[in-house]
Amino acid sequence: MNFPLDIIYGLLANKWILKEFKNQIGLIGNDRKLDLIKELMEHDKYKDYIENDHFMEYVKIPQRKAIENDSIENTILEQIKNSKCKLFIVGMGLTKLKYLNKIRKISN
C-alpha cells in the first residue's frame, strides 16, 4: 500500500491505526525509547490512552550510529520476518532509509 505520508500521520494521530490493528502492532525503533514505551505499557492509563493492551513486538535498533552498524541488519530483518504482527510502527530516524525497502521485500 502506498499512501502520502500526511495521510499516515493523520491515521496515527486520530488513533485509527491503533484501533483498527488493536493488539496486533509491533514497534521498530530506538532501543531506549522502546524501553520507555514498555514501561508506559505497565500503566492502565497509558493502555487506555492508546487503546491497546500490548504491542506484539519491539524491534530495537541502537540509539546512535544505527545507520553505520551493518551487524544489526540480520537481527532486525529476521525478527520482522518471523513476526506475527499485522503492522509495524517505525521510529528509526534516518536509519529507515537504509532498512525500509529491505523490510518491504520480506514483509507484507
Side-chain angles (χ1 to χ4, degrees):
M1 295 186 302
N2 291 316
F3 294 103
L5 213 47
D6 55 338
I7 299 295
I8 294 169
Y9 286 138
L11 293 174
L12 198 57
N14 74 10
K15 299 183 190 174
W16 180 86
I17 286 177
L18 296 170
K19 293 174 195 170
E20 187 69 20
F21 296 97
K22 183 175 181 161
N23 299 326
Q24 301 174 23
I25 299 171
L27 301 176
I28 304 173
N30 171 319
D31 51 4
R32 292 184 184 174
K33 289 180 183 173
L34 291 184
D35 287 341
L36 289 173
I37 291 171
K38 279 184 180 181
E39 284 183 38
L40 286 170
M41 291 304 292
E42 294 175 12
H43 302 281
D44 290 335
K45 190 172 183 176
Y46 185 73
K47 290 180 194 178
D48 292 343
Y49 176 72
I50 63 166
E51 301 181 29
N52 276 259
D53 302 315
H54 64 274
F55 290 109
M56 290 183 72
E57 296 205 29
Y58 296 85
V59 179
K60 296 181 178 184
I61 62 166
Q63 183 173 3
R64 297 190 183 269
K65 299 186 180 184
I67 202 163
E68 301 166 1
N69 189 345
D70 291 331
S71 66
I72 63 171
E73 182 173 327
N74 288 337
T75 305
I76 292 169
L77 295 178
E78 277 301 310
Q79 195 171 353
I80 293 166
K81 185 178 179 180
N82 296 323
S83 174
K84 301 244 187 284
C85 296
K86 295 276 186 182
L87 175 87
F88 278 100
I89 297 175
V90 178
M92 297 170 62
L94 288 175
T95 306
K96 72 179 165 275
L97 298 175
K98 181 176 182 177
Y99 291 112
L100 280 182
N101 196 41
K102 294 175 183 181
I103 291 170
R104 213 173 90 191
K105 288 179 182 176
I106 63 165
S107 177
N108 199 11

